[in-house]
Amino acid sequence: MYEFQKVVYLAPGDSFRTIANSFRVGVSTVSTIIPDVATAIWDCLVEEFMTVPSTEEWRSIAEKFEERWNFPLCCGALDGKHVVLKAPENTGSQFFNYKGTFSLVLLAVVDAERCFRVIDVGGYGRTSDGGILANSAFGQALKSGSLQLPAGLPLSGGDHLGPLPHVFVADEAFPLRKNLMRPFPGRNLPRERRIFNYRLSRARLVVENAFGILSSQWRMYRRVIEVQPEVAEKFVKATCILHNFLRRTTQANTQRAFSVADVEPLP
């Protein structure tokens, strides 16, 4: 029943009081059970479904980005999502964001299959995406070069440029770095730059898609979360790891089903 209460909270986004009334238990009991289960879900699944990729895994991600999204040497798409909260007590304007709501920030790196590879949860809503990245463990590892990214490779047809580094793609809210690509600024751009921006934006959309899927599966994201920020962090981390679990297990089951089925090939 406790696990069911956890899903009841995350999926429809009901309040603790609504769940307590449904199961005829106290609100204080529910408010203890649900965060504990969220923590347990994260602790049990993180090693299998969201470990920091190794060099070979980064290389595999880059190959899939080039195959699916036609953007070479890309190890992931980076973006931030505001998770709306009820205004926390005694926090001033720390969580007040530019949209006029109170929120904490989910910073995520997503692979070509829309799975979360690295997340950082808990940034103040008032902080810019670039500031969230700079303060995160991922941002510091990216800046120091300790992410174990693969060695640079020449682009197809661009041997004269020499080996180029593997990168992450992001929007204009993030800074331009050696391993972090953002679009060219401005409107009246030459054709080559417009093509580059188009391809970068197409590769970057996977992180927007992942956030959309997350909000569709876990409807708590569609309303104001009425818990303390440290509890909301547990819920966000639990939904992200469950997102990966569902996508990978569903894809594996689908592939097994098609592999054993006697399907007539299409002409």
Side-chain angles (χ1 to χ4, degrees), residues 66-81:
E66 184 167 12
E67 176 186 348
R68 295 191 177 192
W69 307 109
N70 201 18
F71 198 98
L73 304 182
C74 178
C75 291
L78 174 69
D79 202 2
K81 174 181 175 61

Side-chain angles (χ1 to χ4, degrees), residues 1-2 4-5 8 15-31 33:
M1 184 182 72
Y2 294 164
F4 184 67
Q5 288 175 353
V8 165
S15 66
F16 286 171
R17 185 171 298 280
T18 302
I19 297 173
N21 292 337
S22 300
F23 288 91
R24 299 180 183 276
V25 294
V27 176
S28 59
T29 303
V30 172
S31 62
I33 291 171

Side-chain angles (χ1 to χ4, degrees), residues 176-246:
L176 178 65
R177 293 180 183 170
K178 176 183 177 181
N179 297 110
L180 184 61
M181 299 298 294
R182 51 170 285 174
F184 285 105
R187 293 178 177 270
N188 299 319
L189 299 174
R191 181 172 180 272
E192 293 78 8
R193 294 192 175 189
R194 284 189 286 111
I195 292 174
F196 173 84
N197 282 0
Y198 163 74
R199 294 193 180 279
L200 185 145
S201 296
R202 187 170 65 173
R204 191 187 60 80
L205 276 180
V206 295
V207 66
E208 301 287 355
N209 295 156
F211 288 151
I213 295 170
L214 192 72
S215 298
S216 297
Q217 288 177 323
W218 312 105
R219 285 177 288 174
M220 73 169 196
Y221 288 106
R222 302 184 188 179
R223 59 191 300 172
V224 177
I225 302 177
E226 299 185 9
V227 297
Q228 293 299 314
E230 58 272 14
V231 178
E233 291 179 26
K234 297 178 181 180
F235 295 163
V236 172
K237 291 166 67 175
T239 55
C240 288
I241 201 70
L242 287 172
H243 169 93
N244 284 5
F245 170 80
L246 291 172

Side-chain angles (χ1 to χ4, degrees), residues 81-96:
K81 174 181 175 61
H82 285 271
V83 180
V84 181
L85 302 173
K86 181 180 179 181
E89 296 180 355
N90 303 319
T91 58
S93 61
Q94 288 180 326
F95 290 91
F96 191 74

Side-chain angles (χ1 to χ4, degrees), residues 77-175:
L78 174 69
D79 202 2
K81 174 181 175 61
H82 285 271
V83 180
V84 181
L85 302 173
K86 181 180 179 181
E89 296 180 355
N90 303 319
T91 58
S93 61
Q94 288 180 326
F95 290 91
F96 191 74
N97 61 46
Y98 69 96
K99 298 180 180 180
T101 60
F102 292 85
S103 64
L104 57 81
V105 179
L106 162 62
L107 184 74
V109 176
V110 174
D111 65 19
E113 297 176 321
R114 302 180 181 91
C115 287
F116 295 105
R117 288 307 185 116
V118 180
I119 63 171
D120 182 90
V121 189
Y124 296 134
R126 65 176 295 178
T127 310
S128 66
D129 286 345
I132 296 289
L133 176 66
N135 295 327
S136 68
F138 170 79
Q140 294 171 5
L142 181 65
K143 186 175 182 180
S144 65
S146 59
L147 273 179
Q148 298 182 343
L149 296 179
L153 296 172
L155 296 176
S156 177
D159 295 338
H160 61 287
L161 298 174
L164 298 178
H166 285 73
V167 299
F168 297 90
V169 293
D171 60 21
E172 57 276 2
F174 293 89

Side-chain angles (χ1 to χ4, degrees), residues 3-15:
E3 287 76 6
F4 184 67
Q5 288 175 353
K6 166 66 170 59
V7 176
V8 165
Y9 179 80
L10 296 180
D14 291 335
S15 66

